[in-house]
């Protein structure tokens, strides 16, 4: 059927014409064009490259008369423009685009309209095309642009730069500033690291490698080191500030600043010597300058204060220091006796009158006159001082050395003689016919006798004898002893008297002596007890033979009761029988002996807070009572607590004691008389310290 409108007539003839009529009618049909099929392709290209020709395909509509238009993806459809490569109609800016291709209709197919997206990509900027210049030079005190020029950047791009004192490749690119003819300046000696960024609409961003702009330090060798007033020699005075050389560093009219442009070393010397001062550059300057200077010795002096250049002394006086000597310098004063004369003006050996030690202390050796020369030798920083002299005159002493007091009061000594009274060194008694060395001194009686100085230097004193009064003090009876006149007994006091052990005098009569205690024997049974009567036992004092008795209780009778039960078919009867058991008398156990107390040992180590007791067993006893206490008297009070234990065998380990404490232990045996315990005597107490 061709394209267009068509009219047709139709007829319907039924099989049963007898019952149905033949039908007829008209139908109109319209044939339309078919939908065509097509395809369009176009590639992406990079900014600056030739535009690409679209590639159409269609078996239905053909490709000879296809027309093209384009627009940016974000634009409305009304913004489409013609696309024709041969006529230079195509987009040139980077971006995302839509291409519309129109395939015209044919006799059989409708028009086909297709769209296809494509893009123009940003172009890369070639590193080889870009030239970046940064400043490099020596410090001159002027400002210099960090970036001095950028070349080869494409048209339509902008330039910015980033600077840092220490770029790290791993960090971001810093802060970017727009590049213009007045770029950031560099003035001081330093290194600045630079990156340049070039970016534009149609180009991928370009970031350069790191460039280093630098100003190098200027060498101090370009300058001159000048000593102020050309002073290079100083006299020592010990003051570092005063001895500090003053210098300046100059280059013509340019003067560098100390502490900013350079630092001085080798200028803090105070002692005499030859020195080199060094100036080392800092900040914008480097290198070193050197200048020599010297410190020379200062004058020293010795000055004796007025009135201290002559001393008048007497023989026998103590040593004395020389005073009023003032020095300028750091040397040690030296003292020397350089001339000596006796009282007759005769020259004698230097140390016969006086001597002087290294500290300037003078000792008096004789009478006469001597001269001391004081000097001070050269030192590193001071010249030798001019010496000075001091005169010392020594006259005879008044009282001879160690003259005793006019009164001597010795302590009481029975039978003491004059010879036994000790005198100072070089003094002796001058005995008479009536007062000899053997004359006995009596307490309370005064003896007057002369003493004489016998020292080798007796001729150097005016007074060499003296009268001494000797008075011995009475005896104070500080120590006495008791003399027994009648011994004390167990029933009566004794009598005695006290005698001074120094002078033998009786100082107290009728001293009462307390009675002594009895010394009792063990109790001895003299009458055995029976079941009807008490017994009797006695003991005797070994000193006074007094006899003491005490009663022994009757023997106990123990009632034993037995019950007998018989049973029959009619009744049960219970019968009680009572019998008397006679108990023989129980004798007291013997005394426990050989008690030993030790610290137990486990695995070769002493066990803490425990004691082990062992003693010799006693036959025929029921057991033992053990007592342990911190009190030697086995007292029980707030301070001490005595513990008791009952054991069956001859041994016991006591635990949970206090550490490092001394414990006292005793043991006694016991027998049983019925239910009553009969105890023997306590053992001797034994002491032991715990671990």
């Amino acid at each position: 059927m061709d394209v267009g409108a068509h009219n047709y007539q139709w007829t319907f003839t039924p099989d049963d014409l007898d019952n149905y009529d033949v039908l007829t009618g008209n139908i109109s049909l319209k044939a339309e064009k078919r939908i065509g099929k097509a395809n369009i392709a176009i590639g992406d290209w990079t900014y600056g490259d030739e535009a690409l020709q679209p590639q159409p395909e269609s078996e239905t509509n053909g490709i000879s008369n296809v027309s093209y238009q384009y627009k940016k993806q974000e634009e409305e459809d009304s913004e489409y423009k013609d696309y024709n490569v041969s006529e230079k109609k195509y987009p040139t800016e980077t971006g995302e685009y839509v291409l519309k291709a129109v395939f015209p209709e044919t006799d059989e197919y409708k028009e086909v309209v297709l769209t296809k997206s494509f893009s123009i990509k940003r172009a890369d900027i070639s590193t080889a095309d870009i030239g970046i210049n940064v400043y490099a030079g020596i410090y001159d005190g002027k400002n210099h642009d960090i970036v001095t020029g950028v070349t080869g950047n494409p048209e339509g791009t902008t330039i910015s730069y980033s600077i840092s004192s220490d770029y790290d490749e791993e960090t971001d690119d810093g802060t970017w500033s727009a590049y213009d003819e007045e770029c950031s300046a560099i003035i001081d000696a330093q290194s600045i690291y630079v990156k340049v960024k070039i970016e534009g609409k149609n180009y991928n961003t370009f970031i350069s490698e790191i460039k280093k702009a630098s100003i190098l330090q200027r060498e101090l060798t370009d300058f001159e080191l000048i000593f102020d007033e050309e002073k290079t020699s100083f006299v020592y005075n010990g003051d570092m500030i005063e001895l500090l050389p003053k210098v300046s560093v100059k280059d013509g009219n340019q003067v560098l600043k100390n502490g900013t442009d350079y630092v001085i070393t080798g200028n803090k010397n105070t002692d005499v010597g030859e020195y080199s001062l060094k100036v080392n550059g800092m900040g914008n300057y480097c290198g070193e300058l050197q200048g020599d200077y010297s410190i020379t010795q200062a004058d020293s002096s010795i000055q004796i204060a007025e009135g201290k250049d002559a001393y008048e002394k007497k023989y026998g006086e103590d040593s004395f220091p020389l005073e009023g000597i003032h020095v300028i310098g750091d040397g040690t004063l030296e003292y020397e006796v350089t001339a000596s004369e006796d009282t007759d003006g005769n020259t004698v050996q230097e140390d016969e009158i006086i001597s002087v030690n290294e500290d300037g202390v003078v000792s008096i050796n004789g009478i006469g006159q001597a001269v001391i020369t004081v000097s001070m030798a050269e030192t590193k920083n001071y010249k030798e001082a001019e010496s000075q002299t001091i005169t010392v005159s020594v006259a005879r002493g008044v009282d001879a050395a160690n003259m005793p007091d006019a009164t001597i009061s010795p302590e009481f000594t029975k039978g003491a003689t004059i010879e036994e009274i000790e005198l100072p060194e070089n003094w002796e008694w001058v005995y008479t016919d009536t007062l000899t060395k053997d004359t006995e001194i009596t307490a309370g009686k005064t003896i007057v006798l002369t003493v004489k100085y016998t020292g080798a230097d007796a001729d150097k004193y005016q007074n060499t004898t003296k009268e001494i009064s000797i008075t011995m003090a009475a005896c104070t009876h500080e120590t006495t002893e008791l003399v027994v006149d009648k011994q004390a007994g167990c029933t009566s006091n004794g009598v005695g008297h006290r005698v001074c052990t120094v002078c033998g005098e009786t100082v107290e009569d009728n001293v009462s002596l307390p009675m002594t205690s009895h010394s009792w024997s063990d109790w001895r049974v003299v009458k055995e007890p029976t079941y009807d009567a008490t017994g009797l036992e006695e003991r005797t004092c070994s000193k006074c033979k007094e006899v003491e008795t005490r009663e022994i209780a009757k023997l106990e009778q123990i009632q034993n009761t037995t019950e007998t039960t018989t049973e029959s078919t009619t009744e049960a009867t219970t019968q009680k029988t009572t019998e008397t058991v006679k108990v023989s008398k129980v004798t007291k156990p013997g005394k426990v002996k050989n008690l030993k107390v030790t610290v137990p040992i486990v695995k070769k180590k002493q066990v803490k807070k425990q004691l082990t007791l062992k003693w010799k067993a006693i036959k025929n006893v029921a057991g033992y009572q053990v007592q342990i206490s911190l009190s030697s008297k086995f007292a029980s009070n707030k301070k001490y607590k005595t513990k008791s234990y009952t054991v069956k065998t001859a041994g016991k380990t006591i635990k949970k004691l206090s550490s490092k404490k001394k414990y006292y232990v005793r043991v006694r045996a016991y027998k049983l008389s019925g239910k009553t315990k009969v105890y023997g005597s306590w053992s001797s107490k034994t002491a032991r310290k715990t671990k």
Side-chain angles (χ1 to χ4, degrees):
M1 181 183 293
D2 295 329
V3 174
H6 299 273
N7 292 315
Y8 297 94
Q9 187 178 27
W10 58 270
T11 300
F12 174 74
T13 303
D15 292 337
D16 186 5
L17 292 175
D18 293 331
N19 295 309
Y20 296 96
D21 293 331
V22 175
L23 295 177
T24 61
N26 295 317
I27 184 170
S28 295
L29 297 176
K30 185 179 180 180
E32 294 184 351
K33 294 181 179 180
R34 290 183 289 178
I35 297 174
K37 293 182 179 181
N39 185 41
I40 184 68
I42 188 170
D44 299 332
W45 68 90
T46 300
Y47 175 80
D49 293 346
E50 289 291 332
L52 297 180
Q53 182 69 44
Q55 301 298 317
E57 292 180 359
S58 178
E59 294 179 356
T60 58
N61 295 63
I63 61 174
S64 58
N65 295 314
V66 179
S67 63
Y68 304 100
Q69 289 182 311
Y70 74 92
K71 73 176 183 68
K72 289 186 176 181
Q73 278 192 353
E74 66 271 13
E75 291 178 341
E76 299 294 334
D77 288 348
S78 60
E79 299 293 328
Y80 273 111
K81 304 175 186 66
D82 289 339
Y83 184 97
N84 190 312
V85 175
S86 61
E87 295 178 3
K88 303 295 184 182
K89 294 179 179 179
Y90 48 79
T92 58
E93 301 292 331
T94 58
E96 300 294 325
Y97 294 90
V98 177
L99 177 70
K100 181 170 71 172
V102 180
F103 292 79
E105 65 180 350
T106 65
D107 292 340
E108 296 181 10
Y109 294 93
K110 293 180 180 180
E111 179 183 73
V112 178
V113 179
L114 298 178
T115 59
K116 182 69 174 179
S117 296
F118 69 97
S119 62
I120 301 176
K121 298 180 179 179
R122 292 173 181 247
D124 291 329
I125 298 174
S126 174
T127 301
D129 296 336
I130 304 301
I132 301 172
N133 298 316
V134 295
Y135 182 79
I138 296 175
Y139 175 76
D140 58 6
K142 299 178 181 179
N143 284 323
H144 297 279
D145 289 341
I146 296 175
V147 180
T148 59
V150 178
T151 61
N153 56 302
E155 185 178 354
T157 57
T158 60
I159 303 172
S160 57
Y161 66 94
S162 175
I163 60 175
S164 172
S165 60
D166 184 17
Y167 261 127
D168 185 345
E169 292 288 354
E170 300 299 324
T171 63
D172 58 33
D173 294 328
T175 301
W176 297 94
S177 301
Y179 171 72
D180 52 32
E181 295 302 324
E182 295 182 359
C183 187
S184 295
I186 181 172
I187 183 170
D188 292 327
Q190 60 181 304
S191 292
I192 298 293
Y193 298 90
V194 183
K195 284 184 179 181
V196 172
K197 179 167 66 174
I198 301 174
E199 53 191 344
K201 176 181 178 181
N202 297 311
Y203 293 92
N204 290 320
T205 299
F206 167 86
I207 297 178
S208 71
E209 295 181 348
I210 297 172
K211 299 285 186 177
K212 183 171 79 170
S214 61
I215 292 181
L216 301 178
Q217 291 174 309
R218 185 176 175 185
E219 288 283 348
L220 285 183
T221 52
D222 296 339
F223 295 81
E224 183 181 3
L225 177 64
I226 301 174
F227 283 84
D228 289 4
E229 300 179 359
E230 298 184 357
K231 186 175 181 180
T232 58
S233 180
F234 303 85
V235 177
Y236 174 82
N237 65 1
D239 188 339
M240 185 177 70
I241 301 300
E242 292 295 327
L243 296 177
L244 181 66
K246 296 174 178 57
V247 298
S248 58
V249 180
K250 296 182 179 180
D251 178 14
N253 294 326
Q254 183 182 359
V255 180
L256 300 189
K257 187 175 181 180
N258 185 14
T260 301
D261 301 322
Y262 61 87
V263 63
I264 300 175
T265 60
N267 63 334
K268 297 182 179 179
N269 301 292
T270 58
D271 291 336
V272 169
E274 300 290 332
Y275 300 101
S276 292
L277 176 146
K278 294 181 180 180
V279 174
N280 296 97
M282 64 182 292
N284 293 316
Y285 299 90
C286 63
E288 178 181 281
L289 294 176
Q290 180 173 308
D292 297 329
Y293 71 100
S294 63
I295 300 175
T296 60
Q297 286 180 317
D299 292 331
S300 63
S301 65
I302 302 172
Q303 297 176 351
I304 308 297
E306 185 177 356
K308 295 298 182 179
D309 57 349
Y311 291 83
E312 292 186 358
K313 296 291 182 178
K314 292 185 180 296
Y315 185 82
E317 291 182 0
D318 293 335
S319 300
F320 64 93
L322 297 175
E323 299 174 336
I325 302 175
H326 304 286
V327 301
I328 296 176
D330 58 1
T332 301
L333 288 176
E334 297 180 358
Y335 307 91
E336 182 182 6
V337 179
T338 54
S340 297
E341 294 180 353
D342 61 17
T343 54
D344 296 327
N346 299 318
T347 300
V348 295
Q349 291 185 351
E350 281 77 4
D351 61 350
E352 188 170 322
I353 308 303
I354 62 171
S355 57
V356 59
N357 66 14
E358 61 183 9
D359 297 321
V361 177
V362 179
S363 299
I364 298 174
N365 304 326
I367 56 177
Q369 183 174 288
V371 176
I372 299 173
T373 298
V374 183
S375 61
M376 184 168 62
E378 176 188 25
T379 64
K380 179 177 181 179
N381 295 317
Y382 286 92
K383 299 175 183 177
E384 181 181 0
E386 183 180 352
S387 62
Q388 303 292 324
T389 59
I390 298 173
T391 301
V392 179
S393 299
V394 183
R396 291 177 67 192
V398 178
D399 293 332
N402 303 319
M403 181 175 283
D405 294 335
T407 301
I408 297 178
S409 300
E411 293 183 357
F412 178 85
T413 302
K414 187 176 182 181
T417 63
I418 295 176
E419 184 183 33
E420 294 174 0
I421 297 177
E422 187 175 353
L423 291 173
E425 184 180 3
N426 293 325
W427 288 87
E428 63 181 28
W429 296 105
V430 181
Y431 298 111
T432 66
D433 293 339
T434 57
L435 295 175
T436 68
K437 66 178 183 178
D438 297 322
T439 299
E440 190 171 314
I441 304 171
T442 305
K445 182 179 179 181
T446 300
I447 296 174
V448 179
L449 191 61
T450 300
V451 293
K452 179 179 66 175
Y453 181 73
T454 61
D457 57 351
D459 61 328
K460 296 179 176 64
Y461 293 103
Q462 298 176 28
N463 302 321
T464 57
T465 61
K466 189 173 185 178
E467 279 193 349
I468 304 297
S469 296
I470 306 169
T471 305
M472 180 180 286
C475 183
T476 58
H477 309 314
E478 288 186 2
T479 59
T480 62
E481 63 180 1
L482 178 65
V483 179
V484 177
D485 299 321
K486 176 186 175 184
Q487 293 287 350
C490 301
T491 57
S492 63
N493 293 332
V495 179
H497 65 278
R498 294 190 180 280
V499 177
C500 176
T501 59
V502 178
C503 64
E505 182 180 338
T506 298
V507 297
E508 186 179 3
D509 288 321
N510 298 320
V511 178
S512 178
L513 306 180
M515 289 187 292
T516 61
S517 59
H518 289 294
S519 178
W520 296 109
S521 65
D522 292 337
W523 289 100
R524 182 176 64 85
V525 177
V526 296
K527 178 184 177 183
E528 295 288 347
T530 67
Y531 297 108
D532 300 320
T534 60
L536 186 70
E537 60 182 358
E538 68 180 16
R539 62 179 181 177
T540 304
C541 175
S542 61
K543 295 179 181 179
C544 63
K545 307 305 179 182
E546 180 179 339
V547 176
E548 184 180 49
T549 62
R550 68 181 181 186
E551 189 178 75
I552 302 174
K554 296 178 182 180
L555 297 180
E556 294 183 5
Q557 293 185 354
I558 301 174
Q559 299 293 325
N560 286 347
T561 302
T562 60
E563 293 186 2
T564 304
T565 302
T566 60
E567 295 183 0
S568 67
T569 56
T570 57
E571 64 180 349
T573 61
T574 300
Q575 185 176 19
K576 292 185 178 180
T577 302
T578 301
E579 64 176 340
T580 301
V581 178
K582 294 184 178 181
V583 180
S584 60
K585 181 192 175 205
V586 176
T587 59
K588 185 172 66 172
K591 184 177 181 180
V592 172
K593 298 179 179 180
N594 298 333
L595 172 60
K596 295 181 179 180
V597 182
T598 60
V599 176
I601 296 176
V602 176
K603 294 182 180 180
K604 298 183 179 181
K605 289 186 178 181
Q606 291 183 320
V607 180
K608 294 182 178 181
K609 301 182 180 181
Q610 295 186 20
L611 291 175
T612 296
L613 287 57
K614 290 184 180 180
W615 56 89
K616 185 177 181 180
I618 300 177
K619 294 182 179 180
N620 302 321
V621 296
Y624 303 90
Q625 184 184 23
V626 178
Q627 282 192 342
I628 185 168
S629 178
L630 292 171
S631 167
S632 61
K633 296 182 179 180
F634 296 90
S636 288
N637 49 41
K638 291 183 178 179
K639 184 175 181 181
Y640 302 111
K641 184 176 181 180
T642 299
K643 293 184 178 181
S644 296
Y645 302 90
T646 299
V647 297
K648 298 295 184 181
T649 58
K652 167 86 175 160
T653 295
I654 303 176
K655 302 178 180 179
K656 297 182 180 179
L657 301 173
S658 297
S659 179
K660 297 181 180 180
K661 294 289 185 180
K662 186 177 182 181
Y663 283 90
Y664 296 89
V665 180
R666 64 181 179 179
V667 181
R668 64 179 177 178
Y670 68 87
K671 295 181 179 179
L672 292 176
S673 176
K675 294 183 180 180
T676 303
K677 292 180 179 178
V678 179
Y679 290 100
S681 299
W682 287 107
S683 67
S684 299
K685 66 182 177 184
T686 300
R688 184 74 184 198
K689 193 174 183 180
T690 57
K691 178 69 174 178

